[in-house]
């Protein structure tokens, strides 16, 4: 019978702690070098938490009289924290591969949306799908993410738009959260688009008066757990007034606020004045607003944790994010797929912004792989490999309000990690698309959930 410990990893060629001093995020000054140990071992207890990290001989002596449920020899391999995907839309029915051809022919996101494609195409099929159908496809997508090294993922609703379907999606996410090994942060995104037949004001009223009270009731009864709230604030969708009302109402029932902004359109001076000093036209993930030179007070007021996309963010907005300690969740796949200009990651890093990464997995940007996201961030956004890894671990966990438990290998944190078959951790990013061969183990709470 195993003793009081679940897992022992021994003799790693490299163990990448990311940070080792209890940091909740890393900005430029903390990113100059990762904490990397050579010849190290690690212990995870039966509670799923890391109990010890250190040189192999020290760990061997310390635990000489202990037994373990599993021991893995990591000679010649690298151990890294499990990857964190800070932005996904993974629950839906109906493929949109036909829209890819439209995009290749030059159609913009909003042109496809206005032609009946985009979100509304997915909404119709998601409404028609059964809860079991949605769960099975969602489960398969999570498994693909897990095999690519993701151990914690943010998952949104938002392809329902009516209360019945939004609750169906949230029940699917809750079932996965309870039954599967993957860590999940749940986001309510009922304001993903304005439902057909309603104005933005009517849709906002429905969300505030019906959706959010129901979420509060179900949460209080323990039926579902929701962490975050999300609004798509964009021309022709939700204006800033409706966005603010929804987000404030979400905050009032305890949902976490995460900013999102400046994806499709830069804000003109007249619009900035109209929007009461906020510079985000679109707020679409976790809890979206945006920041300008005039709105750090708004971020502090709302308790914003993160801002997503930011392809069109201003210099003033970048400075405001750095000041407010709002994480910038950058999505290289979105700019790549929609042929948008890349977020200015270098400017953000230089100004001290907490930069995180997400895959933005959805029918419009079909990517499961955080290693590929990191590679794109390095090549297209000019991030270093050290910066990209921190952005996909500790900083992505921070964006979800979970960096006290996830995102780095430290004693007391959850034992989520990956083991790659390489003597240098950088190969996880360097080998574009090579994660399938590199990743040998994916481990959550000290339990092996995938191995090759």
């Amino acid at each position: 019978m195993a003793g009081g410990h679940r897992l022992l990893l021994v003799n790693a060629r490299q163990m990448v702690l990311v940070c080792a001093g209890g940091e909740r995020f890393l900005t430029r000054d903390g990113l100059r070098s990762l904490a990397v140990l050579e010849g190290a071992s690690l212990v995870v207890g039966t509670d799923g938490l890391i109990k010890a990290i250190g040189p192999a001989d020290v760990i061997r002596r310390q635990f000489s009289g202990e037994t373990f449920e599993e021991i893995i020899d990591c000679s010649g391999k690298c151990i890294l924290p499990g990857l964190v995907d800070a932005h996904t839309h993974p629950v839906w029915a109906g493929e949109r591969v036909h829209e890819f051809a439209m995009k290749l022919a030059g159609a913009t996101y909003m042109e496809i949306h206005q032609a009946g494609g985009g979100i509304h195409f997915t909404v119709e099929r998601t409404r028609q799908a059964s809860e079991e159908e949605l769960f099975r496809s969602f489960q398969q997508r999570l498994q693909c993410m897990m095999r690519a090294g993701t151990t914690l993922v943010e998952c949104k609703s938002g392809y329902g738009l009516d209360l019945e379907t939004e609750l169906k999606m949230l029940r699917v996410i809750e079932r996965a959260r309870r039954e599967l090994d993957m860590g999940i942060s749940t986001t309510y995104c009922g304001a993903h688009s304005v439902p057909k037949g309603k104005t933005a004001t009517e849709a906002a009223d429905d969300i505030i008066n019906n959706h959010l009270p129901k979420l509060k009731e179900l949460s209080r009864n323990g039926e579902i757990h929701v962490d975050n709230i999300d609004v798509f604030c964009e021309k022709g969708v939700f204006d800033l007034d409706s966005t603010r009302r929804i987000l404030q109402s979400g905050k009032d029932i305890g949902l976490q606020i995460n900013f999102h902004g400046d994806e499709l359109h830069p804000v003109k001076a007249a619009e900035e004045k109209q929007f009461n000093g906020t510079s985000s036209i679109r707020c679409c993930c976790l809890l979206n607003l945006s920041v300008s030179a005039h709105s750090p007070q708004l971020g502090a007021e709302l308790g914003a944790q993160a801002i997503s996309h930011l392809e069109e963010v201003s210099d003033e907005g970048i400075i405001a994010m750095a000041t407010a300690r709002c994480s910038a969740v950058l999505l290289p796949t979105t700019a790549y797929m929609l042929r948008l200009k890349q977020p200015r990651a270098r400017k953000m890093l230089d100004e001290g912004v907490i930069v995180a990464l997400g895959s933005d997995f959805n029918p419009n940007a079909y990517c499961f792989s955080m290693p590929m996201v990191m590679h794109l961030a390095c090549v297209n956004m000019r991030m270093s490999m050290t910066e990209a890894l921190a952005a996909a671990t500790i900083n992505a966990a921070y964006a979800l309000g979970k960096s006290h438990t996830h995102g780095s290998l430290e004693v007391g944190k959850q034992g989520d990690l990956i083991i790659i078959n390489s003597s240098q951790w950088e190969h996880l990013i360097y080998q574009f698309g090579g994660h399938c061969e590199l990743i040998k183990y994916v481990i959550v709470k000290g339990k092996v959930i995938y191995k090759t």
Side-chain angles (χ1 to χ4, degrees):
M1 181 67 68
H5 301 285
R6 179 170 294 166
L7 177 68
L8 172 64
L9 305 180
V10 297
N11 302 322
R13 174 66 180 83
Q14 289 185 331
M15 185 178 296
V16 185
L17 309 183
V18 176
C19 51
E23 297 93 339
R24 291 293 176 256
F25 55 81
L26 293 177
T27 55
R28 181 188 59 181
D29 291 340
L31 282 166
R32 300 191 187 281
S33 61
L34 291 184
V36 180
L37 302 178
E38 295 187 357
S41 295
L42 178 148
V43 174
V44 180
T46 54
D47 60 359
L49 303 181
I50 298 171
K51 301 302 179 184
I53 299 172
D57 56 345
V58 173
I59 298 296
R60 188 182 306 113
R61 288 195 301 269
Q62 183 179 350
F63 292 88
S64 60
E66 303 290 338
T67 56
F68 297 87
E69 296 176 13
E70 186 159 8
I71 300 174
I72 300 175
D73 184 357
C74 298
S75 298
K77 297 179 176 63
C78 294
I79 302 171
L80 299 92
L83 303 179
V84 181
D85 190 340
H87 184 132
T88 79
H89 304 255
V91 182
W92 45 269
E95 300 288 350
R96 277 159 50 187
V97 65
H98 61 285
E99 291 183 8
F100 187 54
M102 296 172 67
K103 285 182 285 188
L104 294 178
T108 67
Y109 178 91
M110 289 308 293
E111 286 170 346
I112 292 172
H113 180 76
Q114 291 161 0
I119 290 172
H120 286 299
F121 180 90
T122 305
V123 166
E124 292 178 7
R125 282 145 186 82
T126 303
R127 288 178 176 179
Q128 294 165 3
S130 70
E131 198 164 313
E132 185 64 24
E133 288 171 336
L134 289 176
F135 178 78
R136 293 304 171 196
S137 61
F138 178 42
Q139 182 181 36
Q140 291 171 357
R141 292 163 190 158
L142 288 179
Q143 288 171 345
C144 291
M145 294 177 184
M146 174 266 296
R147 290 195 291 269
T150 296
T151 56
L152 172 63
V153 57
E154 182 266 353
C155 299
K156 306 178 190 300
S157 69
Y159 290 118
L161 306 185
D162 59 24
L163 179 57
E164 178 184 358
T165 314
E166 288 296 311
L167 292 179
K168 178 171 66 174
M169 297 179 71
L170 291 172
R171 287 193 300 268
V172 165
I173 297 172
E174 180 65 18
R175 179 180 169 185
R177 195 178 70 85
R178 295 183 182 186
E179 295 183 8
L180 306 181
D181 292 311
M182 178 87 75
I184 291 175
S185 177
T186 304
T187 296
Y188 164 74
C189 188
H192 199 190
S193 185
V194 177
K196 292 179 179 179
K198 279 191 170 80
T199 65
T201 300
E202 291 169 339
D205 289 343
D206 184 35
I207 289 168
I208 293 167
N209 297 325
N210 298 305
H211 291 217
L212 293 178
K214 188 63 176 180
L215 293 188
K216 181 179 180 180
E217 174 191 339
L218 294 174
S219 178
R220 185 172 58 242
N221 295 339
E223 296 179 49
I224 61 172
H225 175 84
V226 180
D227 301 286
N228 317 294
I229 186 168
D230 178 357
V231 175
F232 189 150
C233 181
E234 170 67 75
K235 287 181 177 180
V237 192
F238 288 95
D239 61 20
L240 189 71
D241 180 62
S242 295
T243 298
R244 186 186 185 95
R245 291 173 55 219
I246 294 168
L247 298 184
Q248 183 61 54
S249 297
K251 180 184 176 183
D252 290 344
I253 67 169
L255 299 183
Q256 178 173 277
I257 293 177
N258 290 277
F259 272 73
H260 168 112
D262 299 327
E263 179 188 355
L264 300 179
H265 301 97
V267 173
K268 299 179 177 63
E271 293 170 325
E272 186 169 326
K273 181 178 180 181
Q274 173 190 352
F275 289 169
N276 193 29
T278 60
S279 75
S280 155
I281 296 271
R282 180 192 176 197
C283 310
C284 160
C285 293
L286 301 187
L287 180 171
N288 309 318
L289 282 178
S290 79
V291 192
S292 76
H294 309 292
S295 63
Q297 300 89 341
L298 179 60
E301 171 196 339
L302 294 175
Q305 187 81 6
I307 310 171
S308 293
H309 281 292
L310 299 166
E311 286 83 1
E312 296 286 354
V313 70
S314 66
D315 289 349
E316 294 81 6
I318 290 173
I319 293 170
M321 282 186 290
T323 302
R325 288 301 188 220
C326 293
S327 173
V329 182
L330 306 184
L331 310 170
T333 55
T334 306
Y336 171 73
M337 293 287 290
L338 297 181
R339 295 172 171 169
L340 303 174
K341 70 179 183 181
Q342 295 288 334
R344 293 184 294 155
R346 282 260 55 86
K347 174 69 173 176
M348 295 180 200
L349 287 161
D350 289 344
E351 294 293 344
V353 174
I354 304 161
V355 173
L357 290 172
S359 69
D360 196 20
F361 173 80
N362 68 78
N364 186 56
Y366 209 102
C367 177
F368 297 117
S369 170
M370 286 303 292
M372 295 181 75
V373 168
M374 289 188 286
H375 181 100
L376 289 172
C378 291
V379 174
N380 291 338
M381 298 197 304
R382 301 184 180 182
M383 294 176 68
S384 71
M385 287 187 285
T386 296
E387 291 165 343
L389 182 63
T393 53
I394 189 66
N395 286 358
Y398 174 82
L400 301 178
K402 294 182 179 294
S403 61
H404 60 296
T405 54
H406 295 72
S408 62
L409 301 181
E410 298 181 73
V411 172
K413 282 195 172 184
Q414 190 163 301
D416 294 1
L417 50 97
I418 59 176
I419 302 172
I420 67 170
N421 189 24
S422 174
S423 60
Q424 291 182 249
W425 71 263
E426 289 93 340
H427 276 270
L428 186 64
I429 299 175
Y430 165 64
Q431 294 188 25
F432 188 52
H435 57 272
C436 298
E437 298 297 325
L438 281 169
I439 296 175
K440 309 310 291 183
Y441 293 88
V442 179
I443 295 167
V444 171
K445 296 182 180 178
K447 175 185 175 183
V448 176
I449 62 171
Y450 173 73
K451 66 180 179 180
T452 59

